[in-house]
Amino acid sequence: LHARSVADPDAFWPLVLGRMGVAFDPSPRAVCDLSRGVLDARWFPDAGIDLAAWCLRGDPERLALVVGDEDGARRSRTVGELRARVGRVAAGLAGLGLAPSEPVALALPLGEEAVVAFLALLSAGHPVVGIAESLSSEEIGRRMRIARARWVV
C-alpha cells in the first residue's frame, strides 16, 4: 500500500477516501500541491468537507456517541438522536441572529453537551474556537481576540 501511495498518489488517495466515504464539497483541485515544496505540501487544496454532516451521516440507529460521567455511569446516543439534538441547537443558534460565518468560542467540559454544541456550531456554519478548561482568563481573551469571536457557548 505504501509503495502504491507514493508511486501514484493521484490515483491512490481518491480511492482510499472514496472507500472511507469521504465526499468533498467543493472537490479538491489536486491530491497534493507541491508548488511550495515538499515541506509545505498542501493536501487536497481548496477542498471542503462538512464535518457535522460527516459525523451525523448514515443509519439513524447506528451508535454515534458513548459518554461517561464522573460516577462511572454511561450514556449512549444513536446517530438519529444526536442528529436531532444537533438540529435543535443549530436552530436555536440561528434564532439568536448569529451570522453563519461568525466565529463562536466553545467553552464546555468534554462530554455530550460539548459534542452537540460543536456539531451544531459547525452545521450552522460557524468557525469554532476551542477553549480548554485549563486556559487562564487572559489566554481565553487572547484566543477570542485573535479569532474575533464575540460569542461563547
Side-chain angles (χ1 to χ4, degrees):
L1 285 176
H2 177 263
R4 185 169 178 202
S5 74
V6 173
D8 192 3
D10 291 332
F12 179 81
W13 289 109
L15 179 64
V16 168
L17 294 173
R19 296 219 41 201
M20 293 172 58
V22 175
F24 292 113
D25 185 22
S27 295
R29 60 181 162 79
V31 169
C32 185
D33 176 3
L34 296 172
S35 63
R36 296 185 291 195
V38 175
L39 295 178
D40 198 13
R42 293 180 57 222
W43 288 89
F44 307 105
D46 302 324
I49 190 165
D50 184 340
L51 183 60
W54 169 258
C55 291
L56 299 171
R57 75 194 185 290
D59 179 1
E61 297 303 314
R62 180 175 53 89
L63 181 64
L65 180 68
V66 177
V67 293
D69 63 23
E70 293 172 0
D71 298 329
R74 298 178 88 163
R75 296 186 317 272
S76 62
R77 298 287 180 248
T78 65
V79 168
E81 291 169 329
L82 191 56
R83 191 182 295 150
R85 287 197 64 200
V86 166
R88 286 192 300 273
V89 173
L93 291 167
L96 294 173
L98 280 73
S101 61
E102 190 166 0
V104 177
L106 181 60
L108 290 173
L110 294 178
E112 181 178 0
E113 292 76 14
V115 171
V116 169
F118 177 71
L119 294 173
L121 287 164
L122 290 179
S123 69
H126 299 286
V128 178
V129 181
I131 304 294
E133 295 175 69
S134 60
L135 293 178
S136 69
S137 58
E138 292 81 20
E139 292 168 320
I140 292 170
R142 183 178 322 111
R143 185 170 282 197
M144 291 184 66
R145 281 190 302 280
I146 290 169
R148 296 192 174 112
R150 299 182 308 130
W151 297 85
V152 178
V153 173

